[in-house]
Amino acid sequence: MSEDHNQSELHDPSSKRQSIYTWHHPIWQKLTTRYPELGHAMLFYGKQGCGKQQFSLQFAKWVLCLNKSSLKQTNSTEIETACGQCKSCHWFDADTHPQLKQIAADFDEKKQSYSAIKIDQIRELNDFIQQTVDGWRVVVIHQADKMNIASSNALLKTLEEPGDRVLMILVSDAMLQLSATIRSRVQQYALDRISIEQAQQFLSQNALTTSENRNKDTVEDQQVALALAHYMPLKAQDFLNSPWFAKRQSFAQAWTSLVKYKQQPIKFANDWLKELDFKALMMMLRFNLRDMTAYKLQQAIQQTDLDIADLQQYYSLEQLFDLDKAFNQVPIQLGQNVQSALIFEQLCMQLMNVEGVSV
């Protein structure tokens, strides 16, 4: 199950702003300097939370812009951006640009998974690409790794005959899941090459939490969020502003009480399902399970602000691995339309049903 699904980059109005994240400046400058010799296909990839969706849309907007201009960024460098004022930019901002085509996989909130990008969605590109228009035509395929075999093969044919002034942009969290033949036909750019210093600076400047009982994020909060987010700053920012982040301590304490006293697992499940949604609860369970396993293996834990040592003593390493297997079955259960509340109750029963050990 995806622990960190977030389509906010795709639909958030911030994706239309002029700012280009500092860590993307080198690639942005490289691409804009090469214009109009851009090639016909690019793959922007990287872990969730690196800003690749915003980058891809900003670049598409820039390519289509009729009055490209330089903009001074916060680090005093100047980069060329879309003007934001021409009719092309207005069309883009209104999602009505006639020379922009976007394709995306649908996300099923109930099953917490993407559907496949189908062949009919790719075939629709042919009419768009064959249009006779002034200027560029840009195609953006979000979640490109979700194409099935048929749609991948259809895209290959399009890539082989792209047409004049057609730019195809593929965006992916998992570029290795794209077929090798597609990867060989596109220019590849990793957008998640972000230093820890860049990530920390972004959070310190931008992360203001709305979580309960806190007015602002502490440095430790930010460090924990970054560790959980694999040092992807936008994802860490999303974590900090999510209600579950402030409840991790009380959740870990309640979990400890559950396994220590072995009482009322159904009540535990129902109480927490009232507090947070299923996705948030699954994330907290997974993060705690990972830290408990790391503690057993004498590795660094991510949630340095939680007392994982107290909780982990009730589980052997083998039991933690069994719990991990149970978590891995959750996507299958969701796909079979098992109610999420029932899944969480079953997991809570398994969390409680352990023998006290010290490993």
Side-chain angles (χ1 to χ4, degrees), residues 76-332:
S76 299
T77 61
E78 287 192 357
I79 60 174
E80 192 165 301
T81 65
C83 70
Q85 301 298 322
C86 67
K87 64 179 182 180
S88 175
C89 288
H90 287 312
W91 283 337
F92 191 98
D93 290 344
D95 294 325
T96 58
H97 204 298
Q99 291 165 231
L100 173 69
K101 176 74 172 179
Q102 295 192 70
I103 293 175
D106 293 327
F107 187 79
D108 188 323
E109 290 289 347
K110 183 178 179 180
K111 296 182 179 180
Q112 288 290 297
S113 63
Y114 284 103
S115 61
I117 294 177
K118 300 177 177 62
I119 188 171
D120 289 343
Q121 292 175 273
I122 302 300
R123 283 175 174 167
E124 290 176 2
L125 296 178
N126 291 331
D127 291 339
F128 174 78
I129 289 174
Q130 291 171 8
Q131 296 176 29
T132 302
V133 297
D134 292 330
W136 287 79
R137 285 154 291 166
V138 180
V139 174
V140 182
I141 303 178
H142 304 279
Q143 301 96 32
D145 50 278
K146 301 304 177 184
M147 289 186 291
N148 57 29
I149 295 175
S151 54
S152 293
N153 290 337
L155 181 63
L156 278 174
K157 295 179 181 179
T158 304
L159 289 174
E160 290 169 357
E161 300 176 3
D164 186 39
R165 286 199 293 182
V166 171
L167 176 62
M168 303 193 69
I169 298 174
L170 282 63
V171 188
S172 175
D173 295 334
M175 57 89 73
L176 291 178
Q177 292 182 19
L178 284 162
S179 71
T181 47
I182 286 180
R183 297 201 308 269
S184 68
R185 287 168 170 76
V186 299
Q187 302 170 52
Q188 301 176 26
Y189 297 95
L191 298 183
D192 59 357
R193 304 304 189 255
I194 306 171
S195 69
I196 293 177
E197 291 74 17
Q198 288 173 325
Q200 290 172 334
Q201 182 179 27
F202 174 84
L203 277 193
S204 65
Q205 294 174 347
N206 296 279
L208 294 176
T209 189
T210 57
S211 300
E212 297 176 3
N213 303 322
R214 292 187 299 172
N215 295 321
K216 63 180 180 179
D217 302 316
T218 66
V219 173
E220 185 176 29
D221 288 336
Q222 294 176 13
Q223 293 301 321
V224 169
L226 281 171
L228 294 176
H230 303 293
Y231 291 90
M232 294 297 104
L234 301 185
K235 188 173 178 182
Q237 183 183 42
D238 183 58
F239 283 175
L240 286 166
N241 289 310
S242 298
W244 63 265
F245 191 86
K247 296 179 183 292
R248 290 175 304 110
Q249 187 70 256
S250 58
F251 182 77
Q253 291 170 348
W255 181 351
T256 302
S257 295
L258 172 69
V259 67
K260 182 177 181 179
Y261 299 110
K262 294 182 170 55
Q263 293 177 347
Q264 300 180 306
I266 302 303
K267 183 180 185 302
F268 173 89
N270 291 335
D271 287 348
W272 278 99
L273 283 167
K274 292 175 184 177
E275 288 278 334
L276 296 167
D277 62 33
F278 177 73
K279 177 184 172 184
L281 291 169
M282 293 303 294
M283 278 199 293
M284 288 199 299
L285 283 170
R286 177 70 84 177
F287 290 147
N288 285 1
L289 182 59
R290 287 179 177 175
D291 275 346
M292 291 157 64
T293 303
Y295 189 97
K296 295 283 190 187
L297 297 174
Q298 298 183 332
Q299 297 174 349
I301 65 173
Q302 295 176 323
Q303 299 175 98
T304 54
D305 57 342
L306 297 188
D307 186 8
I308 295 298
D310 189 25
L311 181 58
Q312 65 82 33
Q313 67 180 314
Y314 296 101
Y315 298 86
S316 68
L317 194 56
E318 182 180 2
Q319 287 168 329
L320 292 177
F321 289 153
D322 287 341
L323 282 171
D324 187 65
K325 291 178 183 177
F327 275 94
N328 291 335
Q329 292 300 309
V330 171
I332 297 174

